[in-house]
Amino acid sequence: MHLQTQVIRSPIGDILLAFDAEVLRALDFLDHEDRMHHFLRLHYGKVTLSPGETSLSKEIEVYFEGDLVALSRVPVQTGGTDFQRKVWDALTKIQPGATKTYSEIAREIGHPTAIRAVGAANGANPISLVIPCHRVIGADGSLTGYGGGIHRKKWLLHHESSRR
């Protein structure tokens, strides 16, 4: 598989996009590029990358400017297991500024006891931000793990809640 990459700036660090045919396949913060490469290999096998530009970057940029629904306009495609894709689909239904717990997601997808598996799928999300894993919190309301760092998760949740 061949994908193109583009780096865009954001208030919380440079973001690396991997895409083909105007479909986003992976997104991560540039300081976590190795994780993105890991997910690409895991989901698609051998992947070659070359620099490019995509109009998808505009939707991400306007999200940071305050258009919170802009991310929902970004077409995405992922690999992953059926279970992972079910979790990721549930994440896209969490509205900007809202949060859900891992157990709420597990119940919503019909696997109420699979809380840890939901957490693992959340952590394996190859398109963070657009598939908004930052909107998932611990049962006690704590900001649990986020691949881009808790400081970014905190910033994103504040960004969204302050513009609702």
Side-chain angles (χ1 to χ4, degrees):
M1 170 181 270
H2 178 77
L3 299 174
Q4 292 185 296
T5 60
Q6 180 179 352
V7 176
I8 60 171
R9 298 211 179 277
S10 87
I12 52 176
D14 290 348
I15 296 173
L16 179 62
L17 312 175
F19 56 93
D20 65 351
E22 296 299 312
V23 173
L24 188 62
R25 297 286 188 145
L27 178 152
D28 215 325
F29 292 94
L30 193 56
D31 56 344
H32 294 280
E33 183 177 0
D34 289 344
R35 183 180 58 216
M36 176 192 264
H37 290 285
H38 168 74
F39 285 142
L40 288 171
R41 282 189 305 276
L42 187 64
H43 293 277
Y44 304 114
K46 184 176 173 152
V47 175
T48 59
L49 302 171
S50 63
E53 290 189 15
T54 177
S55 62
L56 301 172
S57 62
K58 183 63 179 161
E59 296 298 342
I60 297 164
E61 291 166 352
V62 298
Y63 163 81
F64 283 109
E65 293 168 3
D67 180 357
L68 300 181
V69 297
L71 297 179
S72 66
R73 297 189 294 264
V74 176
V76 299
Q77 188 169 343
T78 64
T81 66
D82 290 341
F83 181 84
Q84 287 173 323
R85 286 192 305 273
K86 192 182 268 193
V87 170
W88 299 334
D89 183 59
L91 299 180
T92 65
K93 292 176 175 61
I94 306 172
Q95 295 300 308
T99 57
K100 291 201 175 176
T101 65
Y102 296 96
S103 59
E104 288 173 320
I105 298 292
R107 281 192 304 274
E108 285 178 13
I109 66 169
H111 297 276
T113 61
I115 299 164
R116 287 183 184 216
V118 166
N122 199 53
N125 173 11
I127 309 177
S128 67
L129 186 63
V130 176
I131 297 177
C133 51
H134 62 278
R135 296 179 188 152
V136 182
I137 60 173
D140 63 357
S142 63
L143 299 185
T144 58
Y146 180 64
I150 294 294
H151 67 288
R152 287 183 173 131
K153 181 173 189 160
K154 183 176 182 178
W155 190 97
L156 291 165
L157 291 173
H158 176 73
H159 172 68
E160 293 179 356
S161 65
S162 68
R163 287 176 167 71
R164 284 183 81 193

